[in-house]
């Protein structure tokens, strides 16, 4: 793996930036620590590293892909550290190791001195780094080698830990400026070449199973920023379910459709009544290849309410028209600049045809107003001629935005499109991307 040395002050690298985290105090007086950090000894140029197989060691660098950073979780006045592959740092048996679960030995009490931290196990011993094997161990008393500095993970110009915190608190987060124009142009060309942008006389065109269609689409499915958030928030064994494009003709929606419909992603869309008793079995990344604004967006969303108040999300296809109407009253219009990504967990009701028939509703209202106010049209056009003209008019590209949706599911859920990318395409990808895709599509291989 390519590795990057993180200095004690802010440092910049090709893919990640590690910034020294200044400690803050929460309202309850507890120490607030970023959600994704690298642990570095305050006196030795070494970091605590949890390898993919769960072995704990130390190194003078961290990997540029961000996978050496640890996810923090607070448990009252204690903290746990979990690797991106699911291993929890543990002090079981007074030895530093890892476990696949988080219990008393995997939680450490936090002690702070200025900008440095010490982590005390339940036995009273402190996490320590030394300059010889086993490198990471426990010490009976706190000293210089038991003090750590913390570094935050930065990718695409954002603090990834803060995005993880927002995602887990709100269930969704939008990150702007992730894709550059060159990437966007290539992705638009890929989708167009597959017929995914021809919305002539239809309100939408969708293309599924795109992960194996081009290198750009495959790389998007394993985007480093999305992988950091998906694997840390849902499951380290997450699987890619599908990559689908959707180009919506907003003009057609407003003039030709008669009703608004709502849907959810797989697997919520594929179950029978009463649905799924799990609100966090999927992770969805919506990539905006075009700007979505008030003029061209017929998209809206609302987080699925729970039928039992806690776990089982209500699903549109398993709800009566009256129930659907009640839920979508709180729907939020979806807008986003191009190049941004909107991430959410679990079931979210989505629609890309909000405002169906709104053109004719406005037209009727204007016609009635003109009639009642005595206004007359200079040219008389029949209603049939007007509707024929609207129906045969060519699609206006500025009103046809494209969204790419990558969905991921828990390891025990069947995927929507279980086809792995072909071997020649995988071989053409960068090593880190290829490894991630192989893990994401392992069940399909």
């Amino acid at each position: 793996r390519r590795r990057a040395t993180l200095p004690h002050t802010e440092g910049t690298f090709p893919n990640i930036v590690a910034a020294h985290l200044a400690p803050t105090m929460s309202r309850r007086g507890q120490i607030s620590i970023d959600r994704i950090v690298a642990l570095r000894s305050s006196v030795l140029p070494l970091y605590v590293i949890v390898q993919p197989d769960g072995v704990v060691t130390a190194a003078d660098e961290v990997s540029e892909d961000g996978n050496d950073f640890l996810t923090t979780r607070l448990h009252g006045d204690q903290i746990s550290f979990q690797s991106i592959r699911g291993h929890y740092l543990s002090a079981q048996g007074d030895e530093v190791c890892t476990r696949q679960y988080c219990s008393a030995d995997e939680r450490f009490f936090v002690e702070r001195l200025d900008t440095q931290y010490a982590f005390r196990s339940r036995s009273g011993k402190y996490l320590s780094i030394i300059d010889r094997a086993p490198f990471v161990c426990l010490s009976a008393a706190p000293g210089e080698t038991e003090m750590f500095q913390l570094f935050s993970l930065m990718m695409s110009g954002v603090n990834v830990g803060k995005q993880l915190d927002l995602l887990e608190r709100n269930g969704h987060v939008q990150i702007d400026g992730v894709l550059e124009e060159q990437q966007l142009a290539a992705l638009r060309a890929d989708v167009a070449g597959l017929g995914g942008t021809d919305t002539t006389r239809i309100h939408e065109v969708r293309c599924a199973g795109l992960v194996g269609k081009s290198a750009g689409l495959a790389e998007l499915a394993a985007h480093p920023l999305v992988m950091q958030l998906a694997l840390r928030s849902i499951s380290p064994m997450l699987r890619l379910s599908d990559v689908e494009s959707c180009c919506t003709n907003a003009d057609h929606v407003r003039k030709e459709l008669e009703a608004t419909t709502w849907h959810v992603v797989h697997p919520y869309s594929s179950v029978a009544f009463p649905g799924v008793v799990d609100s966090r079995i999927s992770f969805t990344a919506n990539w905006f290849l075009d700007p979505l604004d008030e003029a061209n967006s017929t998209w809206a969303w609302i987080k699925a309410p729970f039928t039992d108040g806690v776990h089982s999300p209500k699903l549109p296809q398993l709800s009566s028209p009256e129930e659907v109407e009640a839920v979508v009253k709180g729907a939020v219009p979806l807008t986003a600049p191009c190049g941004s990504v909107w991430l959410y967990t679990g079931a979210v009701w989505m629609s890309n045809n909000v405002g169906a028939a709104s053109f004719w509703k406005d037209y009727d209202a204007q016609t009635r107003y003109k009639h009642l106010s005595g206004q007359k049209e200079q040219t008389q056009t029949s209603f049939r001629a007007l509707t024929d003209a609207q129906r045969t008019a060519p699609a206006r590209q500025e009103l046809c935005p494209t969204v790419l949706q990558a969905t991921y599911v828990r390891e025990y859920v069947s995927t929507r499109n279980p086809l792995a990318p072909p071997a020649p395409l995988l071989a053409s990808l960068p090593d880190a991307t290829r490894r991630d895709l192989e893990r994401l599509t392992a069940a399909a291989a």
Side-chain angles (χ1 to χ4, degrees), residues 229-236 238 280-283 345-346 410:
L229 293 170
L231 296 174
R232 295 179 190 274
S233 65
I234 298 297
S235 170
L238 210 63
R280 289 173 55 83
I281 58 175
S282 69
F283 183 96
T345 57
R410 289 291 306 268

Side-chain angles (χ1 to χ4, degrees), residues 92-360:
Q92 192 174 66
D94 277 348
E95 293 184 356
V96 177
C97 55
T98 59
R99 292 290 181 265
Q100 293 284 351
Y101 52 82
C102 183
S103 189
D105 285 317
E106 290 70 50
R107 300 172 184 175
F108 298 84
F109 294 94
V110 183
E111 298 181 7
R112 183 173 67 91
L113 178 63
D114 297 328
T115 60
Q116 302 175 59
Y117 299 84
F119 303 104
R120 175 167 49 88
S121 69
R122 72 164 174 169
S123 69
K125 294 184 178 182
Y126 291 80
L127 192 66
S128 176
I129 287 188
I130 56 179
D131 58 0
R132 59 192 180 279
F135 298 106
V136 185
C137 58
L138 295 175
S139 176
E144 289 185 339
T145 55
E146 287 68 52
M147 301 305 296
F148 292 87
Q149 291 181 318
L150 306 181
F151 291 81
S152 299
L153 176 61
M154 304 285 289
M155 304 180 82
S156 299
V158 300
N159 183 315
V160 184
K162 288 184 178 179
Q163 306 309 311
L164 177 62
D165 186 55
L166 289 171
L167 179 66
E168 293 192 339
R169 283 195 288 113
N170 302 326
H172 65 95
V173 65
Q174 180 173 307
I175 307 172
D176 297 338
V178 181
L179 299 180
E180 298 179 352
E181 182 54 41
Q182 184 176 0
Q183 294 173 283
L184 290 168
L187 290 169
R188 292 188 199 108
D190 288 339
V191 174
L194 296 168
T197 58
D198 185 6
T199 57
T200 304
R201 299 187 181 182
I202 54 176
H203 86 276
E204 70 173 13
V205 57
R206 293 177 180 264
C207 294
L210 298 183
V211 68
K213 300 301 183 181
S214 75
L217 292 165
E219 289 180 353
L220 193 72
H223 192 281
L225 176 58
V226 173
M227 288 297 94
Q228 290 292 327
L229 293 170
L231 296 174
R232 295 179 190 274
S233 65
I234 298 297
S235 170
M237 298 176 66
L238 210 63
R239 295 289 178 260
L240 178 66
S241 179
D242 200 3
V243 177
E244 180 183 65
S245 68
C246 179
C247 181
T248 305
N249 186 335
D251 202 37
H252 191 98
V253 168
R254 293 162 180 160
K255 294 175 181 177
E256 299 298 330
L257 293 193
E258 297 182 357
T260 296
T261 57
W262 296 85
H263 62 274
V264 287
V265 297
H266 176 84
Y268 297 101
S269 62
S270 308
V271 296
F273 188 83
V276 181
V277 189
D278 192 336
S279 61
R280 289 173 55 83
I281 58 175
S282 69
F283 183 96
T284 305
N286 296 278
W287 296 94
F288 301 96
L289 303 192
D290 301 295
L292 217 59
D293 53 38
E294 185 178 351
N296 70 359
S297 177
T298 52
W299 289 81
W301 68 277
I302 187 168
K303 192 71 176 177
F306 295 116
T307 58
D308 60 355
V310 182
H311 299 295
S312 184
K314 181 182 286 292
L315 304 176
Q317 76 276 16
L318 303 180
S319 302
S320 69
E322 293 80 7
E323 290 173 323
V324 171
E325 183 179 1
V327 170
V328 301
K329 284 181 178 179
V332 180
L334 181 59
T335 59
C338 63
S340 61
V341 60
W342 180 50
L343 310 170
Y344 65 80
T345 57
V348 170
W349 289 32
M350 297 283 294
S351 176
N352 68 330
N353 50 50
V354 171
S358 60
F359 174 85
W360 298 112

Side-chain angles (χ1 to χ4, degrees), residues 44 46 62 68 72-73 75 87 101-102 129 241 243 247 285 304 330 340-341 351 357 361 375 380 392 399-400 442:
L44 297 173
L46 295 174
V62 292
D68 285 338
T72 65
R73 302 188 187 279
H75 312 271
H87 302 285
Y101 52 82
C102 183
I129 287 188
S241 179
V243 177
C247 181
S340 61
V341 60
S351 176
K361 293 176 183 178
Q375 299 181 40
Q380 297 293 328
T392 58
L399 297 180
C400 301

Side-chain angles (χ1 to χ4, degrees), residues 27-42:
R27 292 181 179 180
R28 297 182 179 178
Q30 297 175 331
I31 293 174
S32 176
I33 293 177
D34 202 358
R35 292 299 313 280
I36 304 176
V37 299
L39 275 65
R40 174 172 172 160
S41 170
S42 294

Side-chain angles (χ1 to χ4, degrees), residues 364-375:
D364 289 343
Q366 292 174 14
T367 301
R368 287 195 300 270
Y369 172 77
K370 291 177 180 180
H371 175 74
L372 293 173
S373 62
Q375 299 181 40

Side-chain angles (χ1 to χ4, degrees), residues 39-109:
L39 275 65
R40 174 172 172 160
S41 170
S42 294
V43 294
L44 297 173
L46 295 174
Y47 299 85
V48 176
I49 302 294
V50 178
Q51 297 177 344
D53 59 2
V55 174
V56 182
T57 185
D60 58 359
E61 299 174 323
V62 292
S63 61
E64 287 189 351
D65 57 15
N67 288 349
D68 285 338
F69 285 70
L70 303 175
T71 308
T72 65
R73 302 188 187 279
L74 292 178
H75 312 271
D77 58 352
Q78 296 175 294
I79 193 171
S80 63
F81 299 98
Q82 184 186 26
S83 75
I84 196 169
R85 297 301 168 207
H87 302 285
Y88 282 92
L89 199 63
S90 176
Q92 192 174 66
D94 277 348
E95 293 184 356
V96 177
C97 55
T98 59
R99 292 290 181 265
Q100 293 284 351
Y101 52 82
C102 183
S103 189
D105 285 317
E106 290 70 50
R107 300 172 184 175
F108 298 84
F109 294 94

